[in-house]
Every structure is written in C-alpha cells, then in structure tokens.
Amino acid sequence: MAEPPPARRPVPLIESELYFLIARYLSAGRCRRAAQVLVQELEQYQLLPKRLDWEGNEHNRSYEELVLSNQHVTPDHLLQICQIPPSISRVTSLLGAGRQSLLRTAKGTLI
C-alpha cells in the first residue's frame, strides 16, 4: 500500500539544505539509486531551498539548478563539515562529539 504524501508545511532552511547535502553526498557514492529517489521526492514535495527574486518572491528550484548555483559544494561536503579533529574529542559518534556529546554525564565526564 502506498503511503500518503507528507503534509505540506514550510520546511526550515536548515532542513532543506541538509536534504540537499544528503542527496549531493549520495549522488557520488555507492547509493546512486537512493540519491535518484531522494532527488525525485525532494523536487516532488518542494523540499529543496528556494530562490528569491529581486522582488522577494520565492521560487522552487530543481536539484540540478541547486548543484549549478552551488558549485563550491562538492559531493563530500557533508563529510567535511562533520569531521571533528581528534584533538577536540576522543569520542565521535552519531550521539555527538566533544562537549556536546550525549555520552557525557552531567559533570562533563564521558560514560
């Protein structure tokens, strides 16, 4: 049974940029079909960052338009911004890193 489309709500910019970065990352890796499906859904549900015209009106953009207008964002950009130097923290995981880690106790020591 097909799932109903998600409810239309404004997508915060940080969320739409994250979707773009994930699609960009997947497009150059081993999960290219997943990237294609993600890009189709991002465009279908208009979840990508919009552009503003000179009058301040928002316009939807395709994934390819975003790639062309953000050529400085390489496919491994997401990895680069997620890497934390070992000197900052000895614990790096999906639970956080450094002082913000969910693996820290209230006193600041690592579990």
Side-chain angles (χ1 to χ4, degrees):
M1 183 188 285
E3 293 182 26
R8 294 279 173 129
R9 63 169 175 79
V11 179
L13 180 60
I14 188 88
E15 188 176 322
S16 61
E17 287 178 347
L18 181 58
Y19 282 137
F20 171 68
L21 290 174
I22 292 169
R24 190 82 173 108
Y25 173 74
L26 291 174
S27 70
R30 296 181 183 193
C31 298
R32 290 189 178 152
R33 283 186 295 152
Q36 291 171 345
V37 171
L38 177 58
V39 166
Q40 288 172 351
E41 289 195 342
L42 293 176
E43 291 177 346
Q44 178 182 355
Y45 299 121
Q46 301 171 355
L47 299 174
L48 292 168
K50 299 181 183 344
R51 72 169 178 84
L52 292 175
D53 65 18
W54 64 279
E55 292 182 325
N57 299 314
E58 287 187 337
H59 300 275
N60 293 320
R61 289 192 278 190
S62 71
Y63 173 77
E64 287 303 319
E65 289 172 327
L66 269 171
V67 170
L68 289 174
S69 65
N70 293 284
Q71 292 182 3
H72 64 284
V73 177
T74 59
D76 67 343
H77 189 85
L78 186 59
L79 281 180
Q80 292 174 12
I81 61 175
C82 290
Q83 289 180 347
I84 298 172
S87 60
I88 293 176
S89 172
R90 65 178 190 204
V91 175
T92 302
S93 75
L94 293 176
L95 300 175
R99 295 178 61 184
Q100 308 304 318
S101 175
L102 295 176
L103 299 175
R104 288 195 175 276
T105 65
K107 294 182 181 180
T109 57
L110 290 172
I111 298 172

